[in-house]
Amino acid sequence: MVAKLLLATGNKGKVRELRELLCDLDFSIVTLDDLDERPEMPDETGVTYEENAKIKASVIAQKTGLLTLADDSGLEVLCLGNRPGIHSARYDKDEQSRIDKLHRELGARIPTAARFVCVVALSLPTGDSRSFYGECKGQIIGERRGAGGFGYDPVFLVEGMEKTMAQLSSAEKNELSHRARAVRASAKFMLSPEGKEWLQS
Ligand code: IMP
């Protein structure tokens, strides 16, 4: 029987990307919506991406008894001292107003250097967790371009490309995004001898 891997996130953009990124692994991917009793996501009380990713993965793994993957991610703008960072989802009330607020706060400093950061945590039902890091560099630009992706993607110009993250196809975003890099590191671990032993522990 194929083992289950639960994605502990309610963010539809993340679910879509994580499903695509994990499709080559020998797991049956399960989302919170697939469960008979949907567990409540814990509060993100950590002060780092790693702490928050581990809190989400380990709490949900212990509640459900399933191998669980969670990510914590954010946008870091260098001239803002890496804000909004771990608070990216709570920077303002919705995706549109978060971008508007970022533009207001940056003003004449646009275009400006930024990066997306992601930590993926895997957790066993015991709560034991491992974490994996990924980042993607770019610039915040002053106008929205593209309709793909989610969140801050329309104003994030990817380093070395003439496109924003929202102008990339999902295959392109899944090659170079912060989430793709962190997920690939987690997949490499799960396929390694150490990872296979950990999954059985
Ligand atoms: P959290 O990991 O649930 O705390 O939320 C991370 C937040 O960072 C998202 O709600 C987005 O605002 C932003 N973010 C993370 N990854 C991406 C991405 O791939 N594209 C655009 N915005 C992102």
Side-chain angles (χ1 to χ4, degrees):
M1 202 179 70
V2 180
K4 289 180 178 172
L5 174 59
L6 173 64
L7 305 182
T9 177
N11 180 319
K12 300 261 183 281
K14 286 188 185 180
V15 168
R16 191 184 60 247
E17 289 182 13
L18 290 168
R19 264 189 189 290
E20 291 167 1
L21 289 165
L22 293 161
C23 68
D24 289 340
L25 287 180
D26 206 11
F27 285 110
S28 153
I29 304 296
V30 179
T31 67
L32 295 173
D33 287 337
D34 298 327
L35 301 176
D36 291 340
E37 248 178 78
R38 188 189 165 103
E40 202 175 313
M41 287 295 289
D43 290 336
E44 298 183 21
T45 52
V47 295
T48 63
Y49 300 104
E50 184 180 14
E51 281 176 13
N52 281 337
K54 283 186 168 177
I55 289 169
K56 290 186 261 190
S58 64
V59 167
I60 298 299
Q62 289 173 90
K63 277 187 183 169
T64 61
L66 294 172
L67 173 67
T68 300
L69 182 151
D71 96 337
D72 199 63
S73 45
L75 174 73
E76 298 190 346
V77 180
L78 274 61
C79 73
L80 296 180
N82 293 338
R83 283 189 306 108
I86 63 166
H87 305 295
S88 294
R90 300 174 288 279
Y91 182 57
D92 209 328
K93 64 178 190 306
D94 57 40
E95 290 191 344
Q96 294 308 321
S97 43
R98 287 196 271 276
I99 290 178
D100 290 340
K101 182 174 171 187
L102 186 64
H103 279 158
R104 278 197 308 277
E105 197 175 350
L106 286 171
R109 290 178 285 186
I110 290 172
T112 192
R115 66 181 164 237
F116 277 126
V117 172
C118 176
V119 173
V120 158
L122 287 173
S123 187
L124 299 171
T126 57
D128 188 27
S129 307
R130 297 293 173 99
S131 62
F132 308 88
Y133 178 86
E135 70 172 38
C136 178
K137 291 184 179 151
Q139 282 192 325
I140 300 301
I141 57 168
E143 77 281 354
R144 292 164 167 84
R145 289 195 214 153
F150 67 97
Y152 299 90
D153 281 348
V155 293
F156 187 90
L157 194 67
V158 180
E159 186 176 77
M161 301 189 83
E162 297 296 304
K163 294 177 181 176
T164 66
M165 206 68 122
Q167 290 176 303
L168 301 182
S169 65
S170 53
E172 285 172 320
K173 184 172 179 187
N174 288 340
E175 254 322 291
L176 51 75
S177 80
H178 50 310
R179 188 163 298 100
R181 290 178 170 141
V183 168
R184 272 203 297 272
S186 74
K188 191 171 168 199
F189 170 72
M190 286 192 276
L191 294 170
S192 71
E194 185 197 350
K196 285 181 181 159
E197 198 176 307
W198 181 76
L199 288 169
Q200 298 305 322
S201 64

